[in-house]
Each structure stands twice: as structure tokens, then as C-alpha cells.
Amino acid sequence: MNPNFVIFTLINLISIILSVYFFFRLFEVNFNNILVSRSYSFIEPFLKPLRVFLPVVYRFDLSCLALIFFFKALAFFIFLSGSELDFTISDCLAWTGISVLLMFSQILRYGLFISIIGSWAFPGSNNQFLSLCNSVTNVLLKPFQKFTVFGGMDFSPIIVFFLLIQIDRILFNLKFSLGLPSLI
């Protein structure tokens, strides 16, 4: 097995964990949830030194976002360092930005999917993980629920899924038009 691939995978796992934490802060998820409080106690010591330069502005944790970008750029560099492809700093920054946006979209889609399945299979459940997914996705669904609730059926998840898929298409087309390698 290629050691660069293993390191690339581990760095991407770290960036996914940081992204989930970023969404906890962005959507102001209930701190009493055990998953949120544990992630806060684990990740916050790493972000505290960065907060001197990159504070939290309007619920956007800039230090966490900078760390996500750093890890994604590092993963790009490590993965391509052993290959024959030539890349520039602008290629690295473009790939990093597109990769972070695609990762955010995927996290939101998976959270929405889990929330939908959980509401069908376990209605009224007090499961910590399901309440966490609900609190993240309800922020996305709320603007569309004014127009998409008909006879007790909520069609807002369909619209949000459609919008997230369209965002992914735009990002993939941008990645293709820039000629970036397909690592995502």
C-alpha cells in the first residue's frame, strides 16, 4: 500500500472531523449534546492559539476554517508529491477550496439523509446522534418549509438535496475547467 495514500486518508479524516466541528459552531448546535461537548473539549485546545489571529465572526469559526484549508492543502501536496504531475500554488489553492466546499456539501447531505431516515424509523427519538443531525439540518430546511409543507408532508428535504447536488455539479465543472486532478 502506498504510504502517501494512507497519510492522505488520515489527513482527510482530520479535516472531516474539523468540518463537522465547524458546522456545530456555525449552526449553534446544543452544547448539552454529549457528542458536541466531547468534540469541543477535544478540538478547542488546538484552535485556541489560532483564535488570537482568526476569531469567531458571526458564528464562522475562522481558525477552524483555516485549519481545514491547511489540512486539505497538505493532503493535496502529499498525494501529488509522489506523482509525475506538475502543480502550482494556485492549483493547490483552487483544489483546496473546491475540495472543502465539496466536503461541506457531502457532510450536509449525509446529515440530511440520516435525519430523514431517523424521522421515519424512529419518530420522537431522544437519540443524541439523531438530535445532532436534526439540529444541523433543520437550519437548512427551515427557509423552504414555508413553501413545501402540503397536507402534513414536508418536501423541503427534496429541495435541499437538489440544491446541494447542483452546487456539487457546479464545483465539479469548475474543477474540470481548471484542469485540477481528480482526488475528490
Side-chain angles (χ1 to χ4, degrees):
M1 183 180 292
N2 185 359
N4 283 351
F5 179 75
V6 173
I7 295 170
F8 174 77
T9 305
L10 289 174
I11 290 174
N12 274 329
L13 180 63
I14 291 169
S15 62
I16 288 170
I17 292 169
L18 286 170
S19 298
V20 169
Y21 177 78
F22 176 77
F23 284 128
F24 291 168
R25 299 283 302 227
L26 180 65
F27 296 131
E28 294 180 338
V29 176
N30 186 1
F31 190 75
N32 292 330
N33 189 319
I34 189 84
L35 299 171
V36 176
S37 61
R38 292 277 167 94
S39 70
Y40 183 83
S41 65
F42 179 72
I43 295 173
E44 196 61 29
F46 296 106
L47 297 177
K48 195 168 266 204
L50 293 174
R51 292 246 165 77
V52 174
F53 307 107
L54 300 167
V56 177
V57 179
Y58 298 112
R59 298 188 312 204
F60 282 96
D61 191 352
L62 297 178
S63 59
C64 186
L65 198 57
L67 213 53
I68 293 167
F69 270 86
F70 170 75
F71 279 119
K72 279 296 196 177
L74 182 64
F76 177 79
F77 180 76
I78 287 173
F79 193 78
L80 289 183
S81 65
S83 71
E84 301 285 324
L85 295 173
D86 290 332
F87 60 92
T88 62
I89 295 296
S90 62
D91 289 342
C92 181
L93 292 176
W95 184 88
T96 301
I98 291 172
S99 176
V100 166
L101 292 174
L102 282 170
M103 181 178 57
F104 284 174
S105 175
Q106 286 179 338
I107 289 170
L108 291 174
R109 271 189 286 142
Y110 286 134
L112 186 61
F113 184 72
I114 291 168
S115 177
I116 291 168
I117 297 299
S119 70
W120 288 343
F122 310 107
S125 173
N126 291 332
N127 186 316
Q128 296 285 326
F129 185 69
L130 285 178
S131 67
L132 180 68
C133 289
N134 287 334
S135 60
V136 169
T137 57
N138 282 341
V139 175
L140 298 173
L141 297 175
K142 225 172 236 184
F144 303 104
Q145 286 177 341
K146 298 174 188 173
F147 312 109
T148 60
V149 177
F150 302 108
M153 293 291 293
D154 184 10
F155 294 101
S156 60
I158 296 170
I159 293 174
V160 172
F161 266 122
F162 177 75
L163 289 175
L164 289 173
I165 289 170
Q166 294 309 314
I167 290 170
D168 284 354
R169 278 190 183 168
I170 292 168
L171 291 172
F172 276 117
N173 286 337
L174 181 63
K175 182 184 73 140
F176 179 73
S177 68
L178 293 175
L180 298 174
S182 184
L183 304 176
I184 33 182

